[in-house]
């Protein structure tokens, strides 16, 4: 390990968050931050460290009856004139601004401090700080770890510290991308009757989308709202040519009771008669709130859980048979924005909730 | 004028066409060919030459009762591995292949030979060989001449020697480009109900296009078929974002009895309720076959005239009050293609027709 930035895991959480932001770590550029995390955690003898690529796993090994996994990613989207970090009071709220403040170095700050300071948690904890969540899943550190070292992710319950406004967001919906294609015949637009206009044909595809009524599915008392939407459309050859192809890119978000295969069948049924190509699909994750470990977690951190509509890495835990929820500081709706920030109050709320659960 | 290629205007028409093809003259690169044309025509004392840029005008001045304008452009689209020229027999047809063979050095070859050899036509002739027809109209030599020297284009009738399969194609339709825009509200596609999908809204725009019934307008015994078509569509921000804009590019081809202003009003009526932006419009040209000079032309060259559906520079003559038709060798549907060619038979047919008319 090379020399590099030093992280003080006992610092005030806002200061620790600023230190984390100020070690740039865009996806595929996480080494400096991963090195700093590994170096900082290696000072604590109650943690057993494992490193895979730029993913750091730190485990307690106290022989507790339960083991829980608490994870967060180290990488950020590309900088957007939002470095270095800044602490500012805005609208009466104490906030840390900067790249990754919300997504998700706030959660990482809390996790690192708890990992360092909870030497004897009442549940064994596997802390996971992983690389490359913001880019193509082939690089995702959690995915890689799940395949190469599934034992390191084994547990009774998992918490992913993605921003969730410091309330529990349970499960996540699945998501599918597909392309619906219409085809026609080119001709010069001055003689349009010689051709067949593929863009005109796409009108019916859009009509079906506009008329579509998405389901609302209740699971464990949470209502998951589905959605089927065009997210892109393209067609056209030149300003004087009748187009022979039009492609509607659709995105289907589906409740976690529906499998990818069922989702695909449903989308094909909606667009019956059209050429439908599925680009990719990922299963959602059931909220699993009925699981005793989940119930204990919700009771300890307090508040009413919400359903998670977006897809997150909690689904990877679900795929491993580990019930999982999202719980972290920051507002997910400002993730990836230039002005992303984390309320200092959220850091304290989330830290208090996790500490209560891990010391109960 | 610099030295350069020499054109033999008395050569066999196919040889002359090959000579013209072999002086490359992509738009904005016409100087060598314009120089060669000027040099060749300057040998004929029955012609009065004027040059404007790389546009050459050659006029007889015999005090005839009628003056006619016969024109063609010197430029071509960019080369596409189709130089130098080649003469080949294909499917039993003697053809000249090469860049511009069809569009429109075949017509230029015929015009140059007639200009050189008809010292005493029965109608005064203004021969026009102009630059930059294949690119933005700001560079169009005929447009520039119409503005700077309208007197040079004055006449009772005009023939534009664009490829028309050696039959008379009369008038031309107008054309308008417009954009029909829908707007919505972005949101994350996992929470689509927070946004409003602009692509879905475009479905109704496409439905109106699909249901549209274009007019067929009879003028001077010719039936002009209109068309209103989407020629492009675009929308979409990212695969996980509800799109807030969709733009449908439409092209309206309208019969020459309809003005640009009327065409715009019609398109706005079709898309009532939507944001419609007109990108550009050009008026068509009436066939003008009832004009005595046109009737004499049709009688002399023979065959039944067809309507011209595409827009051509004949409309520029119409705007100057000069009735005009398209009449040239070659099949317009292969213009701009790599394999464009000109049947040698068409060269003879067109030359014979024009010669008959100009010597009757």
């Amino acid at each position: 390990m090379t020399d590099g930035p030093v992280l003080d895991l006992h610092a005030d959480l806002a200061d620790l968050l600023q230190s984390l932001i100020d070690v740039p770590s865009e996806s595929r550029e996480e080494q400096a931050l991963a090195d700093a995390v590994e170096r900082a955690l290696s000072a604590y003898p109650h943690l057993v460290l494992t490193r895979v690529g730029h993913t750091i796993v730190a485990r307690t090994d106290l022989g507790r009856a339960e083991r829980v996994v608490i994870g967060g990613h180290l990488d950020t989207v590309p900088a957007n004139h939002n470095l270095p970090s800044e602490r500012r009071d805005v609208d009466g709220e104490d906030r840390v601004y900067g790249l990754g403040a919300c997504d998700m170095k706030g959660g990482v700050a809390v996790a690192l401090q708890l990992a360092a300071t909870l030497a004897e948690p009442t549940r064994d904890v596997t802390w996971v700080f992983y690389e490359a969540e913001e880019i193509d899943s082939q690089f995702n550190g959690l995915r890689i770890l799940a395949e190469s070292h599934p034992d390191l992710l084994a547990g009774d319950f998992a918490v992913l510290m993605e921003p969730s406004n410091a309330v529990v967001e349970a499960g996540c919906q699945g998501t599918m991308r597909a392309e619906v294609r219409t085809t026609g015949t080119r001709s010069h637009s001055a003689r349009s009757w010689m051709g067949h206009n593929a863009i005109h044909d796409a009108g019916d595809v859009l009509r079906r989308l506009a008329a579509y009524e998405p389901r609302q599915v209740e699971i464990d008392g949470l209502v998951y709202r589905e959605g089927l939407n065009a997210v892109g459309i393209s067609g056209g050859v030149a300003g004087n040519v009748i187009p022979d192809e039009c492609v509607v890119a659709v995105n289907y978000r589906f409740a976690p009771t529906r499998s990818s295969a069922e989702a695909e069948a449903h989308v094909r049924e909606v667009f019956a008669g059209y050429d439908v190509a599925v680009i990719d699909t990922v299963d959602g994750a059931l909220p699993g709130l009925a699981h005793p470990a989940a119930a204990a977690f919700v009771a300890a951190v307090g508040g009413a859980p919400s359903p998670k509509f977006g897809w997150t890495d909690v689904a990877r835990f679900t795929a491993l048979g580990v019930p999982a929820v999202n719980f972290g500081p920051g507002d997910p709706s400002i993730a990836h924005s230039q002005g992303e920030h984390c309320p200092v109050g959220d850091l304290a709320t989330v830290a208090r909730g996790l500490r209560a659960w891990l010391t109960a």
Side-chain angles (χ1 to χ4, degrees), chain A:
Chain A
M1 197 171 355
T2 56
D3 286 343
V6 172
L7 300 173
D8 175 4
L9 304 188
H10 291 264
D12 174 80
L13 274 172
D15 293 340
L16 176 55
L17 171 53
Q18 288 199 257
S19 304
L20 291 170
I21 294 170
D22 294 339
V23 184
S25 57
E26 292 179 20
S27 307
R28 312 282 282 155
E29 306 280 333
E30 298 97 334
Q31 179 162 1
L33 184 57
D35 289 352
V37 165
E38 184 178 5
R39 198 160 43 234
L41 291 175
S42 66
Y44 301 93
H46 65 275
L47 297 172
V48 179
L49 300 196
T50 308
R51 179 166 179 154
V52 176
H54 300 316
T55 295
I56 312 296
V57 181
R59 297 155 50 93
T60 64
D61 193 10
L62 302 164
R64 304 298 194 213
E66 271 185 17
R67 173 171 292 280
V68 297
V69 184
I70 302 178
H73 61 84
L74 296 174
D75 63 319
T76 69
V77 295
N80 186 11
H81 307 290
N82 49 3
L83 283 178
S85 65
E86 272 186 84
R87 185 163 176 177
R88 274 187 283 155
D89 193 281
V90 177
D91 298 333
E93 188 175 66
D94 184 11
R95 299 175 177 172
V96 173
Y97 281 79
L99 176 64
C102 169
D103 187 6
M104 56 170 286
K105 290 184 173 178
V108 170
V110 172
L112 282 171
Q113 184 160 92
L114 293 178
T117 58
L118 285 173
E120 297 198 343
T122 52
R123 298 170 160 91
D124 268 314
V125 185
T126 302
W127 304 96
V128 181
F129 303 95
Y130 64 100
E131 63 182 327
E133 190 268 352
E134 297 289 5
I135 55 174
D136 190 279
S137 72
Q138 67 173 301
F139 303 109
N140 185 295
L142 196 63
R143 188 197 63 74
I144 292 169
L145 204 61
E147 289 182 9
S148 67
H149 298 74
D151 51 304
L152 285 180
L153 295 178
D156 298 284
F157 187 64
V159 178
L160 195 65
M161 296 192 68
E162 288 277 355
S164 68
N165 285 313
V167 300
V168 177
E169 290 189 339
C172 75
Q173 297 204 114
T175 180
M176 163 183 289
R177 293 189 303 155
E179 289 181 349
V180 184
R181 192 176 309 264
T182 58
T183 50
T185 309
R186 285 190 198 188
S187 74
H188 195 289
S189 66
R191 296 171 179 267
S192 51
W193 57 91
M194 307 284 284
H196 180 91
N197 196 313
I199 294 178
H200 293 190
D201 285 354
D204 176 57
V205 173
L206 300 186
R207 187 193 59 71
R208 294 188 195 186
L209 283 165
Y212 183 82
E213 300 209 3
R215 302 189 308 163
Q216 299 197 13
V217 182
E218 188 174 328
I219 311 170
D220 290 356
L222 305 178
V223 177
Y224 289 87
R225 293 183 68 168
E226 297 193 338
L228 178 63
N229 273 276
V231 290
I233 189 167
S234 62
V237 177
N240 60 356
V241 176
I242 300 302
D244 58 351
E245 183 176 90
C246 185
V247 177
V248 183
V250 300
N251 180 218
Y252 178 40
R253 300 284 178 152
F254 51 97
T257 41
R258 184 163 267 183
S259 70
S260 286
E262 289 165 342
E264 176 171 342
H266 177 67
V267 167
R268 291 192 181 280
E269 187 184 335
V270 170
F271 299 111
Y274 289 96
D275 172 12
V276 175
V278 172
I279 306 303
D280 52 29
T281 317
V282 284
D283 282 311
L286 287 164
L289 293 181
H291 191 283
F297 173 76
V298 170
V301 304
S306 303
K308 184 74 175 177
F309 297 115
W311 190 91
T312 77
D313 273 341
V314 298
R316 300 192 194 279
F317 287 107
T318 302
L320 292 169
V322 182
V325 297
N326 301 279
F327 180 59
D331 178 353
S333 70
I334 59 165
H336 303 189
S337 71
Q338 185 176 21
E340 67 169 306
H341 56 265
C342 183
V344 172
D346 274 15
L347 296 171
T349 302
V350 170
R352 190 166 53 241
L354 287 175
R355 185 178 291 276
W357 178 51
L358 295 173
T359 56

